[in-house]
mmCIF file of all heavy atoms in Angstrom:
data_model
loop_
_atom_site.group_PDB
_atom_site.id
_atom_site.type_symbol
_atom_site.label_atom_id
_atom_site.label_comp_id
_atom_site.label_asym_id
_atom_site.label_seq_id
_atom_site.Cartn_x
_atom_site.Cartn_y
_atom_site.Cartn_z
ATOM 1 N N ARG A 1 27.638 -1.689 5.411
ATOM 2 C CA ARG A 1 26.654 -1.617 6.350
ATOM 3 C C ARG A 1 26.388 -3.022 6.967
ATOM 4 O O ARG A 1 26.225 -3.244 8.243
ATOM 5 C CB ARG A 1 25.361 -1.052 5.911
ATOM 6 C CG ARG A 1 24.325 -0.720 7.079
ATOM 7 C CD ARG A 1 23.022 -0.213 6.486
ATOM 8 N NE ARG A 1 23.256 0.960 5.773
ATOM 9 C CZ ARG A 1 22.901 1.191 4.440
ATOM 10 N NH1 ARG A 1 22.438 0.245 3.897
ATOM 11 N NH2 ARG A 1 23.169 2.328 3.931
ATOM 12 N N LYS A 2 26.511 -4.084 6.013
ATOM 13 C CA LYS A 2 26.227 -5.397 6.545
ATOM 14 C C LYS A 2 27.291 -5.919 7.375
ATOM 15 O O LYS A 2 27.074 -6.593 8.390
ATOM 16 C CB LYS A 2 26.127 -6.259 5.163
ATOM 17 C CG LYS A 2 26.146 -7.675 5.422
ATOM 18 C CD LYS A 2 26.001 -8.485 4.161
ATOM 19 C CE LYS A 2 26.124 -9.935 4.366
ATOM 20 N NZ LYS A 2 26.127 -10.770 2.936
ATOM 21 N N TYR A 3 28.462 -5.378 7.266
ATOM 22 C CA TYR A 3 29.683 -5.951 7.944
ATOM 23 C C TYR A 3 29.991 -4.914 9.132
ATOM 24 O O TYR A 3 31.003 -5.066 9.819
ATOM 25 C CB TYR A 3 30.984 -6.028 7.133
ATOM 26 C CG TYR A 3 30.747 -7.006 5.954
ATOM 27 C CD1 TYR A 3 31.353 -6.847 4.778
ATOM 28 C CD2 TYR A 3 30.191 -8.233 6.207
ATOM 29 C CE1 TYR A 3 31.141 -7.807 3.776
ATOM 30 C CE2 TYR A 3 30.045 -9.168 5.171
ATOM 31 C CZ TYR A 3 30.602 -8.927 4.064
ATOM 32 O OH TYR A 3 30.447 -9.951 3.080
ATOM 33 N N GLY A 4 29.283 -3.798 9.185
ATOM 34 C CA GLY A 4 29.554 -2.817 10.323
ATOM 35 C C GLY A 4 30.717 -2.007 10.038
ATOM 36 O O GLY A 4 31.320 -1.515 10.998
ATOM 37 N N ILE A 5 30.967 -1.759 8.736
ATOM 38 C CA ILE A 5 32.129 -0.979 8.412
ATOM 39 C C ILE A 5 31.620 0.505 7.888
ATOM 40 O O ILE A 5 30.728 0.630 7.132
ATOM 41 C CB ILE A 5 32.992 -1.601 7.136
ATOM 42 C CG1 ILE A 5 33.449 -2.998 7.589
ATOM 43 C CG2 ILE A 5 33.981 -0.711 6.603
ATOM 44 C CD1 ILE A 5 34.145 -3.737 6.447
ATOM 45 N N LYS A 6 32.254 1.520 8.492
ATOM 46 C CA LYS A 6 31.970 2.860 8.109
ATOM 47 C C LYS A 6 32.183 3.027 6.620
ATOM 48 O O LYS A 6 33.322 2.601 6.158
ATOM 49 C CB LYS A 6 32.720 3.788 8.965
ATOM 50 C CG LYS A 6 32.598 5.215 8.595
ATOM 51 C CD LYS A 6 33.500 6.070 9.601
ATOM 52 C CE LYS A 6 33.346 7.584 9.161
ATOM 53 N NZ LYS A 6 34.205 8.312 10.155
ATOM 54 N N HIS A 7 31.264 3.686 5.917
ATOM 55 C CA HIS A 7 31.364 3.705 4.401
ATOM 56 C C HIS A 7 31.497 5.302 3.998
ATOM 57 O O HIS A 7 30.599 5.963 4.344
ATOM 58 C CB HIS A 7 30.344 3.010 3.720
ATOM 59 C CG HIS A 7 30.421 3.007 2.208
ATOM 60 N ND1 HIS A 7 30.059 4.064 1.421
ATOM 61 C CD2 HIS A 7 30.942 2.108 1.328
ATOM 62 C CE1 HIS A 7 30.278 3.808 0.230
ATOM 63 N NE2 HIS A 7 30.759 2.608 0.059
ATOM 64 N N ILE A 8 32.471 5.675 3.211
ATOM 65 C CA ILE A 8 32.600 7.045 2.708
ATOM 66 C C ILE A 8 32.787 6.875 1.238
ATOM 67 O O ILE A 8 33.555 6.073 0.712
ATOM 68 C CB ILE A 8 33.819 7.724 3.260
ATOM 69 C CG1 ILE A 8 33.631 7.794 4.841
ATOM 70 C CG2 ILE A 8 33.792 9.142 2.750
ATOM 71 C CD1 ILE A 8 32.594 8.493 5.371
ATOM 72 N N TRP A 9 31.973 7.650 0.560
ATOM 73 C CA TRP A 9 32.176 7.592 -0.987
ATOM 74 C C TRP A 9 32.565 9.135 -1.419
ATOM 75 O O TRP A 9 31.859 10.033 -1.306
ATOM 76 C CB TRP A 9 30.982 7.266 -1.695
ATOM 77 C CG TRP A 9 31.086 6.860 -3.184
ATOM 78 C CD1 TRP A 9 30.704 7.636 -4.277
ATOM 79 C CD2 TRP A 9 31.730 5.654 -3.653
ATOM 80 N NE1 TRP A 9 30.934 6.967 -5.394
ATOM 81 C CE2 TRP A 9 31.610 5.814 -5.126
ATOM 82 C CE3 TRP A 9 32.403 4.620 -3.113
ATOM 83 C CZ2 TRP A 9 32.261 4.908 -5.928
ATOM 84 C CZ3 TRP A 9 33.018 3.686 -4.006
ATOM 85 C CH2 TRP A 9 32.972 3.790 -5.312
ATOM 86 N N ALA A 10 33.837 9.142 -1.983
ATOM 87 C CA ALA A 10 34.355 10.422 -2.467
ATOM 88 C C ALA A 10 34.172 10.558 -3.946
ATOM 89 O O ALA A 10 34.800 9.865 -4.776
ATOM 90 C CB ALA A 10 35.826 10.563 -2.110
ATOM 91 N N ARG A 11 33.280 11.476 -4.347
ATOM 92 C CA ARG A 11 33.128 11.835 -5.840
ATOM 93 C C ARG A 11 34.144 12.862 -6.175
ATOM 94 O O ARG A 11 34.016 13.979 -5.821
ATOM 95 C CB ARG A 11 31.692 12.295 -6.087
ATOM 96 C CG ARG A 11 30.711 11.072 -6.088
ATOM 97 C CD ARG A 11 29.255 11.442 -6.348
ATOM 98 N NE ARG A 11 28.537 10.256 -6.339
ATOM 99 C CZ ARG A 11 27.086 10.404 -6.282
ATOM 100 N NH1 ARG A 11 26.492 11.437 -6.108
ATOM 101 N NH2 ARG A 11 26.367 9.103 -6.220
ATOM 102 N N ILE A 12 35.207 12.498 -6.935
ATOM 103 C CA ILE A 12 36.229 13.218 -7.233
ATOM 104 C C ILE A 12 36.090 13.915 -8.597
ATOM 105 O O ILE A 12 35.840 13.363 -9.521
ATOM 106 C CB ILE A 12 37.548 12.425 -7.239
ATOM 107 C CG1 ILE A 12 37.778 11.668 -5.864
ATOM 108 C CG2 ILE A 12 38.848 13.140 -7.389
ATOM 109 C CD1 ILE A 12 38.797 10.607 -5.746
ATOM 110 N N LEU A 13 36.358 15.199 -8.477
ATOM 111 C CA LEU A 13 36.363 15.985 -9.707
ATOM 112 C C LEU A 13 37.766 16.048 -10.390
ATOM 113 O O LEU A 13 38.529 14.969 -10.347
ATOM 114 C CB LEU A 13 35.920 17.478 -9.395
ATOM 115 C CG LEU A 13 34.429 17.598 -9.444
ATOM 116 C CD1 LEU A 13 33.792 16.900 -8.233
ATOM 117 C CD2 LEU A 13 34.067 19.145 -9.339
ATOM 118 N N SER A 14 38.242 16.977 -11.145
ATOM 119 C CA SER A 14 39.416 16.946 -11.823
ATOM 120 C C SER A 14 40.649 17.322 -10.946
ATOM 121 O O SER A 14 40.733 18.332 -10.429
ATOM 122 C CB SER A 14 39.353 17.993 -12.986
ATOM 123 O OG SER A 14 38.297 17.818 -13.967
ATOM 124 N N VAL A 15 41.469 16.262 -10.866
ATOM 125 C CA VAL A 15 42.575 16.352 -9.896
ATOM 126 C C VAL A 15 43.896 16.370 -10.822
ATOM 127 O O VAL A 15 43.952 15.716 -11.860
ATOM 128 C CB VAL A 15 42.750 15.235 -8.920
ATOM 129 C CG1 VAL A 15 44.077 15.198 -8.187
ATOM 130 C CG2 VAL A 15 41.524 15.306 -8.033
ATOM 131 N N TYR A 16 44.830 17.103 -10.588
ATOM 132 C CA TYR A 16 46.131 17.209 -11.241
ATOM 133 C C TYR A 16 47.328 17.104 -10.385
ATOM 134 O O TYR A 16 47.104 17.522 -9.101
ATOM 135 C CB TYR A 16 46.188 18.530 -12.130
ATOM 136 C CG TYR A 16 46.325 19.772 -11.230
ATOM 137 C CD1 TYR A 16 47.566 20.382 -11.051
ATOM 138 C CD2 TYR A 16 45.189 20.281 -10.643
ATOM 139 C CE1 TYR A 16 47.696 21.394 -10.293
ATOM 140 C CE2 TYR A 16 45.442 21.361 -9.813
ATOM 141 C CZ TYR A 16 46.622 22.023 -9.710
ATOM 142 O OH TYR A 16 46.918 22.989 -8.704
ATOM 143 N N GLY A 17 48.538 16.916 -10.879
ATOM 144 C CA GLY A 17 49.739 16.984 -10.052
ATOM 145 C C GLY A 17 50.772 15.802 -10.533
ATOM 146 O O GLY A 17 50.411 15.086 -11.527
ATOM 147 N N PRO A 18 51.779 15.723 -9.689
ATOM 148 C CA PRO A 18 52.830 14.735 -10.096
ATOM 149 C C PRO A 18 52.305 13.299 -10.204
ATOM 150 O O PRO A 18 51.343 13.045 -9.423
ATOM 151 C CB PRO A 18 53.725 14.904 -8.946
ATOM 152 C CG PRO A 18 53.695 16.334 -8.497
ATOM 153 C CD PRO A 18 52.215 16.652 -8.627
ATOM 154 N N TYR A 19 52.786 12.492 -11.115
ATOM 155 C CA TYR A 19 52.340 11.250 -11.331
ATOM 156 C C TYR A 19 50.989 11.023 -11.988
ATOM 157 O O TYR A 19 50.406 9.970 -12.092
ATOM 158 C CB TYR A 19 52.335 10.380 -10.073
ATOM 159 C CG TYR A 19 53.720 10.263 -9.440
ATOM 160 C CD1 TYR A 19 53.967 11.093 -8.316
ATOM 161 C CD2 TYR A 19 54.696 9.451 -9.906
ATOM 162 C CE1 TYR A 19 55.244 11.086 -7.660
ATOM 163 C CE2 TYR A 19 56.008 9.495 -9.397
ATOM 164 C CZ TYR A 19 56.321 10.232 -8.331
ATOM 165 O OH TYR A 19 57.446 10.311 -7.724
ATOM 166 N N ASP A 20 50.404 12.222 -12.387
ATOM 167 C CA ASP A 20 49.182 12.162 -13.217
ATOM 168 C C ASP A 20 49.327 11.478 -14.569
ATOM 169 O O ASP A 20 50.537 11.484 -15.031
ATOM 170 C CB ASP A 20 48.538 13.622 -13.483
ATOM 171 C CG ASP A 20 47.126 13.679 -13.766
ATOM 172 O OD1 ASP A 20 46.521 12.446 -13.773
ATOM 173 O OD2 ASP A 20 46.523 14.643 -14.012
ATOM 174 N N GLY A 21 48.322 10.893 -15.120
ATOM 175 C CA GLY A 21 48.440 10.336 -16.509
ATOM 176 C C GLY A 21 48.858 11.372 -17.597
ATOM 177 O O GLY A 21 48.470 12.556 -17.554
ATOM 178 N N LYS A 22 49.641 10.883 -18.547
ATOM 179 C CA LYS A 22 50.059 11.946 -19.579
ATOM 180 C C LYS A 22 49.024 12.343 -20.408
ATOM 181 O O LYS A 22 49.296 13.264 -21.420
ATOM 182 C CB LYS A 22 51.282 11.354 -20.299
ATOM 183 C CG LYS A 22 52.558 11.081 -19.484
ATOM 184 C CD LYS A 22 53.702 10.573 -20.132
ATOM 185 C CE LYS A 22 54.965 10.395 -19.382
ATOM 186 N NZ LYS A 22 56.162 9.887 -20.153
ATOM 187 N N ASP A 23 47.907 11.794 -20.511
ATOM 188 C CA ASP A 23 46.748 12.012 -21.523
ATOM 189 C C ASP A 23 45.897 13.115 -20.841
ATOM 190 O O ASP A 23 44.854 13.554 -21.617
ATOM 191 C CB ASP A 23 46.050 10.793 -21.859
ATOM 192 C CG ASP A 23 46.823 9.939 -22.603
ATOM 193 O OD1 ASP A 23 47.768 10.428 -23.503
ATOM 194 O OD2 ASP A 23 46.710 8.663 -22.660
ATOM 195 N N THR A 24 45.961 13.558 -19.579
ATOM 196 C CA THR A 24 44.991 14.487 -19.095
ATOM 197 C C THR A 24 45.415 15.842 -19.686
ATOM 198 O O THR A 24 46.444 16.097 -20.220
ATOM 199 C CB THR A 24 45.163 14.575 -17.554
ATOM 200 O OG1 THR A 24 46.431 15.076 -17.281
ATOM 201 C CG2 THR A 24 44.919 13.158 -16.938
ATOM 202 N N MET A 25 44.389 16.711 -19.569
ATOM 203 C CA MET A 25 44.546 18.010 -20.083
ATOM 204 C C MET A 25 45.768 18.796 -19.497
ATOM 205 O O MET A 25 46.580 19.325 -20.252
ATOM 206 C CB MET A 25 43.307 18.918 -19.905
ATOM 207 C CG MET A 25 43.233 20.233 -20.747
ATOM 208 S SD MET A 25 44.369 21.511 -20.112
ATOM 209 C CE MET A 25 43.452 22.117 -18.646
ATOM 210 N N VAL A 26 45.899 18.857 -18.136
ATOM 211 C CA VAL A 26 46.950 19.487 -17.557
ATOM 212 C C VAL A 26 48.297 18.799 -17.913
ATOM 213 O O VAL A 26 49.247 19.604 -18.283
ATOM 214 C CB VAL A 26 46.638 19.412 -16.048
ATOM 215 C CG1 VAL A 26 47.963 20.046 -15.341
ATOM 216 C CG2 VAL A 26 45.494 20.365 -15.616
ATOM 217 N N MET A 27 48.445 17.598 -17.646
ATOM 218 C CA MET A 27 49.737 16.986 -17.930
ATOM 219 C C MET A 27 50.231 16.951 -19.360
ATOM 220 O O MET A 27 51.338 17.250 -19.689
ATOM 221 C CB MET A 27 49.785 15.562 -17.380
ATOM 222 C CG MET A 27 51.181 15.046 -17.265
ATOM 223 S SD MET A 27 52.314 15.973 -16.208
ATOM 224 C CE MET A 27 51.672 15.459 -14.513
ATOM 225 N N SER A 28 49.305 16.739 -20.290
ATOM 226 C CA SER A 28 49.557 16.778 -21.698
ATOM 227 C C SER A 28 50.018 18.176 -22.130
ATOM 228 O O SER A 28 50.936 18.273 -22.981
ATOM 229 C CB SER A 28 48.407 16.216 -22.516
ATOM 230 O OG SER A 28 47.233 17.101 -22.516
ATOM 231 N N THR A 29 49.325 19.079 -21.617
ATOM 232 C CA THR A 29 49.742 20.586 -21.938
ATOM 233 C C THR A 29 51.034 20.876 -21.470
ATOM 234 O O THR A 29 51.892 21.468 -22.152
ATOM 235 C CB THR A 29 48.622 21.561 -21.331
ATOM 236 O OG1 THR A 29 47.394 21.267 -21.822
ATOM 237 C CG2 THR A 29 49.121 22.953 -21.648
ATOM 238 N N ILE A 30 51.453 20.470 -20.161
ATOM 239 C CA ILE A 30 52.666 20.731 -19.649
ATOM 240 C C ILE A 30 53.761 20.145 -20.422
ATOM 241 O O ILE A 30 54.799 20.772 -20.742
ATOM 242 C CB ILE A 30 52.758 20.243 -18.145
ATOM 243 C CG1 ILE A 30 52.044 21.122 -17.150
ATOM 244 C CG2 ILE A 30 54.237 20.088 -17.636
ATOM 245 C CD1 ILE A 30 51.829 20.510 -15.823
ATOM 246 N N ILE A 31 53.605 18.881 -20.954
ATOM 247 C CA ILE A 31 54.587 18.076 -21.635
ATOM 248 C C ILE A 31 54.723 18.767 -22.971
ATOM 249 O O ILE A 31 55.904 19.002 -23.426
ATOM 250 C CB ILE A 31 54.232 16.669 -21.738
ATOM 251 C CG1 ILE A 31 54.173 15.931 -20.423
ATOM 252 C CG2 ILE A 31 55.127 15.978 -22.781
ATOM 253 C CD1 ILE A 31 53.573 14.619 -20.433
ATOM 254 N N LYS A 32 53.678 19.138 -23.663
ATOM 255 C CA LYS A 32 53.847 19.703 -25.032
ATOM 256 C C LYS A 32 54.509 21.138 -24.925
ATOM 257 O O LYS A 32 55.382 21.320 -25.800
ATOM 258 C CB LYS A 32 52.403 19.907 -25.663
ATOM 259 C CG LYS A 32 51.857 18.535 -26.183
ATOM 260 C CD LYS A 32 50.525 18.700 -26.733
ATOM 261 C CE LYS A 32 49.860 17.437 -27.291
ATOM 262 N NZ LYS A 32 48.616 17.567 -27.877
ATOM 263 N N LEU A 33 54.133 21.855 -24.077
ATOM 264 C CA LEU A 33 54.834 23.138 -23.836
ATOM 265 C C LEU A 33 56.185 23.117 -23.595
ATOM 266 O O LEU A 33 57.159 23.818 -24.056
ATOM 267 C CB LEU A 33 53.950 24.019 -22.944
ATOM 268 C CG LEU A 33 52.574 24.549 -23.279
ATOM 269 C CD1 LEU A 33 51.982 25.332 -22.250
ATOM 270 C CD2 LEU A 33 52.642 25.241 -24.598
ATOM 271 N N LEU A 34 56.624 22.174 -22.728
ATOM 272 C CA LEU A 34 58.077 21.970 -22.357
ATOM 273 C C LEU A 34 58.775 21.564 -23.402
ATOM 274 O O LEU A 34 59.979 21.929 -23.648
ATOM 275 C CB LEU A 34 58.069 21.008 -21.160
ATOM 276 C CG LEU A 34 57.847 21.477 -19.713
ATOM 277 C CD1 LEU A 34 57.849 20.306 -18.727
ATOM 278 C CD2 LEU A 34 58.767 22.619 -19.348
ATOM 279 N N TYR A 35 58.341 20.806 -24.415
ATOM 280 C CA TYR A 35 59.008 20.232 -25.508
ATOM 281 C C TYR A 35 58.808 21.121 -26.771
ATOM 282 O O TYR A 35 59.256 20.751 -27.830
ATOM 283 C CB TYR A 35 58.557 18.757 -25.785
ATOM 284 C CG TYR A 35 59.186 17.703 -24.896
ATOM 285 C CD1 TYR A 35 58.568 17.453 -23.705
ATOM 286 C CD2 TYR A 35 60.367 17.124 -25.117
ATOM 287 C CE1 TYR A 35 59.153 16.503 -22.836
ATOM 288 C CE2 TYR A 35 60.973 16.237 -24.286
ATOM 289 C CZ TYR A 35 60.309 15.889 -23.174
ATOM 290 O OH TYR A 35 60.913 15.001 -22.300
#
């Protein structure tokens, strides 16, 4: 606001998909089941 820049804050819930960390529930489950 001080600099006149529009500000948006995105509160992100649980996201999954390619390039996700291997320790997340979704990716770790995919990896274990595949192996």
Side-chain angles (χ1 to χ4, degrees):
R1 187 181 302 121
K2 175 181 174 182
Y3 297 142
I5 298 173
K6 178 180 175 181
H7 184 278
I8 304 296
W9 193 251
R11 286 181 177 160
I12 303 171
L13 275 67
S14 296
V15 173
Y16 69 96
Y19 301 101
D20 197 6
K22 293 185 178 182
D23 293 326
T24 64
M25 191 285 287
V26 170
M27 194 59 77
S28 65
T29 300
I30 288 173
I31 294 170
K32 287 181 179 179
L33 292 179
L34 282 174
Y35 282 88

